[in-house]
Amino acid sequence: MRPLQRFERRLEGIVSGVFARAFKGDVEPIELAAALKREIDNTARILSRDRRLVPNHFTIELGPGDFERLDAYGQTLNHELANELRDHADIQRYTFSGPIEIALTRQDDLPTGKFRVVSATVGTQRPRPQPQPYQQEPYVPPNDGQTVMQSAPPPPQQQPPRRGHPQVMLEVNGRRRPVNPPGVVLGRGTDADIQINDPGVSRRHAEIRLMPEGPGGVRVVLVDLGSTNGTLVNGRRSTEAELVDGSTVRIGNTTMTLRLADEPIAQPPSSGW
């Protein structure tokens, strides 16, 4: 069975056939799914040798009649359309620029049976690290051989040791991997920074980002990269969430725990979990 046929069958099952009968008009959900796939095919940009970046924000413009009919099932329809896009992206090795968002809008200039798809790239900007101020060393005059009576300089004051950002670690099955700035990508693909061998994990599933915050502080944020099965943070489905020491992240069948350590912890290299 083709993907679009499976999509239509899935929609019919959600509302026990009533949903399908409501869409016997000019614009059907299967047409919207096909148009969204064509849109990301036409706008994909090369990201690496085997990955392409595609938009994540889509606006579907509909005529008044089609909008009134489809908007009544907006949440159900949007959820299924987003799942279709994720499946298509996994097959084509696309990477979304952020969480998928789909909106239906009414356009009075469109007749019944006609619609437009407008896409955009909406991502989260990473803050650039602030440069550290330059400190000049004190000037020391050269020794010219003359003895000069000088009072002994005061002993240098003991400075407390400077502590940098706490070391961020990701613990999986009792083993820890360091998360270094600006962050790491979690996924099943070989191009992920931390590779997780789990069939329920997308090739590029989620990203952990480190953002400097104040003197000696760091903010840890997890962002779902439009994964197929989603991401759970502390048991709740999230597209973006802040992590603290002890936060749990579940992707596929794999559960991870974030740990913050005062000192870096050396770990043996690993090709995947």
Side-chain angles (χ1 to χ4, degrees), residues 158-180:
Q158 186 71 22
Q159 296 291 334
R162 292 188 60 186
R163 306 185 72 87
H165 293 166
Q167 176 65 54
V168 181
M169 311 292 294
L170 197 62
E171 182 178 295
V172 184
N173 299 327
R175 299 179 60 190
R176 294 187 177 187
R177 285 286 299 274
V179 179
N180 297 319

Side-chain angles (χ1 to χ4, degrees), residues 132 162-167 211-219 262:
Q132 296 296 323
R162 292 188 60 186
R163 306 185 72 87
H165 293 166
Q167 176 65 54
M211 303 178 181
E213 187 176 58
V218 63
R219 182 167 174 255
D262 290 336

Side-chain angles (χ1 to χ4, degrees), residues 61-65 67-68 105-112 116:
E61 300 177 350
L62 299 158
F67 174 79
E68 294 297 331
T105 63
R106 171 174 173 162
Q107 295 293 328
D108 293 334
D109 64 320
L110 288 174
T112 300
R116 290 190 293 259

Side-chain angles (χ1 to χ4, degrees), residues 94-114:
Y94 293 154
T95 297
F96 289 103
S97 55
I100 298 175
E101 298 179 6
I102 300 175
L104 305 182
T105 63
R106 171 174 173 162
Q107 295 293 328
D108 293 334
D109 64 320
L110 288 174
T112 300
K114 300 292 185 181

